[in-house]
Amino acid sequence: MTLIPVPIQFDNIYQNFEKYLIDIYQNTDCKYSFNELYNMVYTIIIAKKDINNEEPEKPFKIQFGEKITKFLDDYTHKICNEIIKEDDIIKAYANQWKNYYESSQASDKICGYYNRSLSYQNFSNIKNKMDKTYFILSLEKWKDNVIFKLKNDFDNILIKQIFESIDNERDNDTATNEFIRQVSDSFVKVKNDNYNSKIIYGHFQKLYEDEFESPYLENIRNYYKKKSFELIEKVSIEEYVSIALKRIDDEVTRCKYYCVPSSLQKVLEECKEQLIIQYKQKLLDKFGDLLNNEQFNDCTNMYKLLSIVKDGILSLASIYEDYIAKYGFNECKKLGNIKLKDSKAYVDTLIEVHKKFRNITKDVFNSNPEFFAAVDKSLSKVINTPISGKISHSPEILAKYCDFLLKKSPKVSINEDEIEQKLENVIILFKYIDDKDIFQKFYSKILAKRLIYNTSVSEELEENMINRLKLSCGVEYTNKLQRMFTDINVCKDINNNFKEYLKSMDIKQTVDSNILVLTSGSWPLSNSNISFQIPVELEDNINKFAAFYQNEHNGRKLTWLYQLSKADVRLHMENKLYELNMTLYQLAILLLFNNGDSFTINEIINQTLLPLSEVSRFLKAFVDLKLLIAPNTESLDTIVTFNKNFSNKRTKIKIGMVADNNQENEITRLVVDNDRKLFLQAVIVRIMKSKKELQHTLLIKEVIEQSKSRFVPNIQAIKQAIEQLIDKQYIERVKNDYYTYIA
């Protein structure tokens, strides 16, 4: 190899070079030296003069470029003619392409110096400069003389055979054709400018998109438009969904094998349009039936199919939500009015509904968040929608269920671990309740009774429940509940100090007592309107405690809530000792019989100062127990007599009364309504103080947002609160529907 240009006989050198080039392309078993061929090209490119020492009309480099262009042009025409002779055009094309591509790579290396020379050529006097490397030139000739010739001169036979083969795969479930993959690969590679570089999918694949991808998508469209119509008319929806899923999976697999990655989404879109979207409503209509029949395997298939189309998940989730709500309402209707009395049955039913559909969502719908949201929305409807009447009783039922779990009962025995689990279930349902303030009122009332009468199963369980409510609704929601516990603990110290006080004063109690001093603002308690004269036997104790407490806490006022007081009384009969548990009002009546065997109802009223309605109610409990005897309990002249022959199998007797729960519940709800009015006013003032000026609709929206953690206010209640604040001159209306805060 010489570095110095020498005169050459171009035609002889090129003829020898082309001979070897043909051998390379035809895979002829010939021996050639890479260095020898490279040197031929090098000698031609650097040569300036011919064998006669004269400069050629065209530079040898240009002549070499024209020669190899003609060689590739002729050779690719020859290849196309050979391909068309074969029956299996796809296989013939693939084999010819593989050999041609590899041969072009090898030849391009031999022409390496020619390729590099193109980057620094300076033939300003030459009209058509050579600017394409050997490899690029070989690919362009393949494109023009093979790909386009097969398309234009032979009725696009290659592409037609490809789609016939693919249709056969679809219809007969045959294996994929590896030669098709090589064909599609050739459509991409002929646009790549460097065989050593990684193929970049983008503008380089325009040929692939136009000549392979576009007709491939059209083939999918036509095939599945016809096939889906045949299937939807012939098979059940369940079978159609199953077949459609398999077809789409097959097309995805086929696309990944035959096509470039960028084609996958386009193929999917065509499959979705032909197999799903045009029949989407039919599929959705069937989904409700599948749920009703609990065909959950088919539901899973439906979910998988529709999840890949726009709004498919949302449409399914909406149907799922309606189904769960209907199911939940039906389960609650089965309970009838018993749910108001049997909170356990109601809560257990809802928990079973919740558990069932959470599991279905997990197992059938792959834990999809939209389906979990559907479970939540539907259960919220079931819990907050009144089945009968104008109000939902769910908050109070849930509070009563908590009482069932946390209150001591000889009839029910539940271990603490089980109670904890059931309380967790309560919180699950509690989160769905809109009127959390109503639950709070009922819960605090029932908790107060458990604390006052010391009937809690466990203080730890009570505190754990309050902590759960705190996590759900915040500290403010449980502040009063926690202060109630604080009061009870303080009362233990107060009673111990009172006993020490009596001991230091050398005073003996005639009656053992345990007095609870409760903070008025923390407890859901109110004074009774019932007049009452404390029994003489208890007056001394009460007066001494009042004196002690005033001495310890000067300035504090004690208000005695006799209606909440209870007493344990020993009843001595001739042959038996009984222990009776009763209210203080009942005790006041019974103590009268220490001083006489019979009293008229009028005399009982005069001595206890209780109204007739209450005396009648209390006496009825004694008469039912047969401790007192009376023909009736409603007439003032009725004589009530102590039964000296009283006898009972039990020695410990709790004398109960029929409580007027309906009236108590009504009062509680009235209290909640009043609290809501004040709460809404406070929220509006807080918002307006921050915003200074706000439009009516935005104010309504903000009030709802800040209130929903406690309850969902209706628009009319908010408007009334706004009007009341305008009257109180906290805010004023300006600019038609705007409000401003008055400092």
Side-chain angles (χ1 to χ4, degrees):
M1 179 176 180
T2 177
L3 298 177
I4 301 172
V6 295
I8 63 169
Q9 190 170 0
F10 174 78
D11 290 337
N12 288 340
I13 296 176
Y14 180 77
Q15 284 175 5
N16 286 330
F17 175 77
E18 187 175 292
K19 176 184 175 184
Y20 286 117
L21 205 58
I22 292 170
D23 288 343
I24 292 172
Y25 275 94
Q26 292 182 348
N27 289 319
T28 304
D29 186 17
C30 63
K31 296 179 180 179
Y32 69 89
S33 166
F34 172 83
N35 289 336
E36 181 184 352
L37 295 177
Y38 188 89
N39 189 42
M40 286 183 185
V41 176
Y42 177 80
T43 301
I44 292 172
I45 300 306
I46 67 171
K48 303 295 183 184
K49 295 180 180 180
D50 60 18
I51 195 68
N52 299 320
N53 209 27
E54 295 179 357
E55 288 188 5
E57 293 182 10
K58 290 183 183 178
F60 294 126
K61 174 181 173 180
I62 299 298
Q63 294 183 53
F64 179 78
E66 290 174 346
K67 288 284 187 180
I68 58 174
T69 299
K70 185 177 185 305
F71 165 77
L72 290 170
D73 192 59
D74 293 342
Y75 194 78
T76 49
H77 274 100
K78 178 183 175 184
I79 288 175
C80 184
N81 291 330
E82 290 178 0
I83 290 172
I84 207 67
K85 293 176 183 177
E86 301 292 332
D87 292 332
D88 190 343
I89 301 295
I90 304 170
K91 182 179 179 181
Y93 177 97
N95 289 334
Q96 288 285 1
W97 161 254
K98 183 175 182 294
N99 178 67
Y100 181 83
Y101 186 73
E102 291 173 353
S103 299
S104 294
Q105 285 181 314
S107 301
D108 187 71
K109 291 178 181 178
I110 292 170
C111 296
Y113 192 78
Y114 168 75
N115 295 336
R116 288 198 300 274
S117 72
L118 298 176
S119 61
Y120 51 82
Q121 64 183 339
N122 183 23
F123 301 119
S124 56
N125 60 327
I126 303 299
K127 186 175 181 181
N128 296 317
K129 293 191 294 182
M130 308 300 296
D131 57 0
K132 294 174 182 176
T133 66
Y134 182 92
F135 187 68
I136 291 298
L137 193 60
S138 69
L139 295 180
E140 285 196 354
K141 290 303 176 182
W142 181 272
K143 177 186 69 174
D144 295 336
N145 299 330
V146 179
I147 295 176
F148 285 148
K149 190 172 183 181
L150 288 172
K151 176 184 178 181
N152 299 324
D153 296 352
F154 298 99
D155 196 25
N156 208 11
I157 189 170
L158 174 64
I159 297 300
K160 284 185 177 180
Q161 278 200 11
I162 286 174
F163 294 143
E164 286 173 4
S165 176
I166 290 175
D167 285 349
N168 183 54
E169 288 177 27
R170 293 177 180 133
D171 292 334
N172 301 309
D173 202 22
T174 56
T176 50
N177 188 335
E178 63 175 312
F179 298 115
I180 296 177
R181 183 177 184 179
Q182 293 178 35
V183 173
S184 69
D185 189 50
S186 74
F187 282 60
V188 176
K189 285 181 176 177
V190 294
K191 289 301 292 180
N192 187 31
D193 62 355
N194 188 338
Y195 67 85
N196 286 319
S197 69
K198 182 179 179 182
I199 295 175
I200 302 171
Y201 298 110
H203 67 281
F204 289 121
Q205 63 189 54
K206 188 177 188 307
L207 177 71
Y208 161 83
E209 290 174 350
D210 292 345
E211 303 303 325
F212 185 85
E213 182 186 81
S214 182
Y216 182 56
L217 294 175
E218 185 179 358
N219 169 262
I220 292 173
R221 185 183 310 121
N222 294 335
Y223 181 87
Y224 284 111
K225 185 174 184 179
K226 179 182 177 182
K227 181 62 70 173
S228 62
F229 179 78
E230 292 173 355
L231 286 171
I232 206 75
E233 296 295 325
K234 182 180 178 182
V235 302
S236 67
I237 293 295
E238 298 95 306
E239 289 178 278
Y240 178 85
V241 170
S242 181
I243 293 170
L245 279 172
K246 184 179 185 306
R247 289 287 189 168
I248 291 172
D249 285 342
D250 289 346
E251 288 302 328
V252 168
T253 302
R254 188 174 293 112
C255 177
K256 288 179 178 178
Y257 189 74
Y258 290 153
C259 305
V260 300
S262 61
S263 297
L264 180 58
Q265 190 57 42
K266 299 174 186 177
V267 168
L268 268 176
E269 291 300 321
E270 283 297 340
C271 290
K272 287 190 288 185
E273 180 63 38
Q274 302 307 324
L275 288 167
I276 308 174
I277 294 174
Q278 64 174 330
Y279 302 112
K280 182 180 176 183
Q281 194 54 52
K282 277 190 176 182
L283 300 176
L284 290 173
D285 292 342
K286 185 64 179 178
F287 184 61
D289 295 336
L290 298 179
L291 289 171
N292 287 327
N293 298 328
E294 297 192 346
Q295 296 173 243
F296 293 130
N297 287 335
D298 293 323
C299 286
T300 300
N301 287 339
M302 186 77 78
Y303 163 77
K304 288 178 180 178
L305 187 66
L306 287 175
S307 65
I308 63 176
V309 301
K310 184 180 179 182
D311 296 331
I313 290 288
L314 294 177
S315 300
L316 289 174
S318 177
I319 296 170
Y320 187 52
E321 179 185 334
D322 292 340
Y323 169 70
I324 299 171
K326 182 180 178 181
Y327 182 92
F329 283 127
N330 287 337
E331 290 299 300
C332 289
K333 283 180 181 178
K334 291 177 185 177
L335 297 174
N337 292 327
I338 195 175
K339 71 176 188 176
L340 297 173
K341 298 178 181 178
D342 187 357
S343 60
K344 181 179 182 300
Y346 178 69
V347 172
D348 286 349
T349 297
L350 290 177
I351 286 297
E352 281 303 311
V353 172
H354 177 269
K355 183 179 178 181
K356 174 178 180 175
F357 288 103
R358 292 282 293 186
N359 288 336
I360 288 174
T361 301
K362 180 181 176 183
D363 299 335
V364 178
F365 302 115
N366 197 31
S367 298
N368 187 283
E370 292 294 340
F371 283 77
F372 276 128
V375 175
D376 293 339
K377 291 175 185 176
S378 56
L379 277 172
S380 181
K381 286 180 187 175
V382 172
I383 290 174
N384 294 296
T385 303
I387 293 179
S388 60
K390 295 182 179 180
I391 58 173
S392 169
H393 294 281
S394 295
E396 62 186 272
I397 295 173
L398 207 56
K400 288 177 181 177
Y401 181 68
C402 291
D403 189 53
F404 164 77
L405 295 174
L406 295 170
K407 185 179 179 180
K408 293 176 185 175
S409 173
K411 298 179 182 179
V412 181
S413 178
I414 310 176
N415 64 56
E416 290 196 8
D417 290 340
E418 191 176 349
I419 292 174
E420 288 280 17
Q421 181 56 51
K422 290 181 181 297
L423 290 175
E424 287 288 350
N425 291 340
V426 169
I427 293 299
I428 289 173
L429 300 182
F430 171 76
K431 290 178 180 178
Y432 295 123
I433 290 178
D434 287 340
D435 298 327
K436 291 182 171 61
D437 54 342
I438 294 179
F439 172 87
Q440 182 192 40
K441 282 295 179 187
F442 279 102
Y443 187 86
S444 62
K445 273 182 168 293
I446 299 172
L447 172 63
K449 290 180 181 179
R450 290 200 300 273
L451 294 179
I452 290 170
Y453 302 133
N454 192 28
T455 56
S456 289
V457 172
S458 161
E459 184 176 334
E460 182 181 354
L461 288 173
E462 294 280 9
E463 290 179 349
N464 288 346
M465 182 59 188
I466 290 174
N467 286 333
R468 291 186 181 98
L469 293 173
K470 185 195 297 183
L471 285 173
S472 182
C473 293
V475 176
E476 185 180 350
Y477 189 82
T478 58
N479 266 345
K480 290 184 179 180
L481 301 179
Q482 290 181 315
R483 286 202 293 267
M484 288 162 67
F485 275 98
T486 303
D487 282 354
I488 293 297
N489 291 325
V490 169
C491 286
K492 295 175 184 177
D493 295 332
I494 291 175
N495 278 283
N496 289 334
N497 292 338
F498 178 52
K499 289 176 182 178
E500 291 296 325
Y501 166 77
L502 294 176
K503 188 176 180 181
S504 67
M505 300 292 290
D506 197 23
I507 299 172
K508 292 184 179 180
Q509 282 184 297
T510 55
V511 178
D512 288 336
S513 62
N514 183 54
I515 299 173
L516 300 178
V517 181
L518 311 176
T519 308
S520 59
S522 303
W523 292 71
L525 309 173
S526 58
N527 295 340
S528 174
N529 295 324
I530 299 174
S531 59
F532 177 62
Q533 175 61 51
I534 193 75
V536 176
E537 293 86 345
L538 301 180
E539 276 187 352
D540 186 51
N541 274 43
I542 290 174
N543 292 333
K544 286 173 182 175
F545 183 84
F548 157 76
Y549 192 80
Q550 289 299 328
N551 185 54
E552 291 285 322
H553 305 281
N554 188 27
R556 291 189 184 179
K557 180 184 177 183
L558 290 176
T559 301
W560 295 91
L561 304 179
Y562 297 125
Q563 76 274 16
L564 297 174
S565 301
K566 286 198 172 185
D568 291 323
V569 181
R570 286 182 182 151
L571 177 64
H572 295 268
M573 302 303 289
E574 288 186 3
N575 299 319
K576 205 168 186 180
L577 176 66
Y578 295 95
E579 290 186 9
L580 309 179
N581 179 268
M582 62 189 72
T583 68
L584 183 57
Y585 293 152
Q586 289 173 319
L587 175 63
I589 294 172
L590 193 59
L591 286 175
L592 296 178
F593 291 91
N594 278 336
N595 303 316
D597 294 335
S598 300
F599 294 90
T600 65
I601 290 180
N602 190 50
E603 288 173 332
I604 293 172
I605 291 173
N606 289 334
Q607 292 196 51
T608 62
L609 299 182
L610 290 167
L612 174 61
S613 59
E614 295 299 314
V615 170
S616 177
R617 195 159 63 95
F618 299 141
L619 284 175
K620 189 176 186 308
F622 287 124
V623 171
D624 291 344
L625 186 63
K626 298 182 181 179
L627 183 59
L628 299 179
I629 301 171
N632 66 73
T633 60
E634 297 172 357
S635 174
L636 292 173
D637 297 329
T638 298
I639 297 174
V640 182
T641 305
F642 183 80
N643 182 9
K644 292 183 178 181
N645 297 320
F646 172 77
S647 177
N648 198 293
K649 293 180 181 180
R650 293 176 295 164
T651 56
K652 292 185 177 181
I653 303 171
K654 181 178 180 181
I655 303 175
M657 293 185 304
V658 178
D660 190 356
N661 288 329
N662 289 335
Q663 184 180 2
E664 185 178 344
N665 292 346
E666 189 175 336
I667 291 170
T668 301
R669 287 184 177 273
L670 286 173
V671 171
V672 170
D673 287 341
N674 290 330
D675 288 348
R676 285 182 175 183
K677 291 175 183 177
L678 296 174
F679 178 83
L680 288 175
Q681 291 181 30
V683 168
I684 293 168
V685 169
R686 184 165 61 244
I687 293 169
M688 292 305 301
K689 190 174 183 180
S690 171
K691 304 288 185 180
K692 304 303 180 187
E693 183 176 284
L694 203 60
Q695 193 262 346
H696 175 78
T697 305
L698 295 177
L699 177 59
I700 296 287
K701 184 178 178 181
E702 190 71 24
V703 171
I704 293 173
E705 183 65 27
Q706 293 196 22
S707 303
K708 68 181 181 183
S709 62
R710 292 178 63 87
F711 66 98
V712 180
N714 61 62
I715 305 299
Q716 192 58 38
I718 299 174
K719 289 180 178 179
Q720 288 176 358
I722 291 172
E723 293 302 324
Q724 288 166 350
L725 289 173
I726 291 174
D727 293 340
K728 294 177 182 179
Q729 296 185 347
Y730 280 95
I731 61 176
E732 65 177 347
R733 186 180 285 108
V734 295
K735 302 177 187 175
N736 296 327
D737 62 345
Y738 275 79
Y739 302 100
T740 59
Y741 176 70
I742 302 175

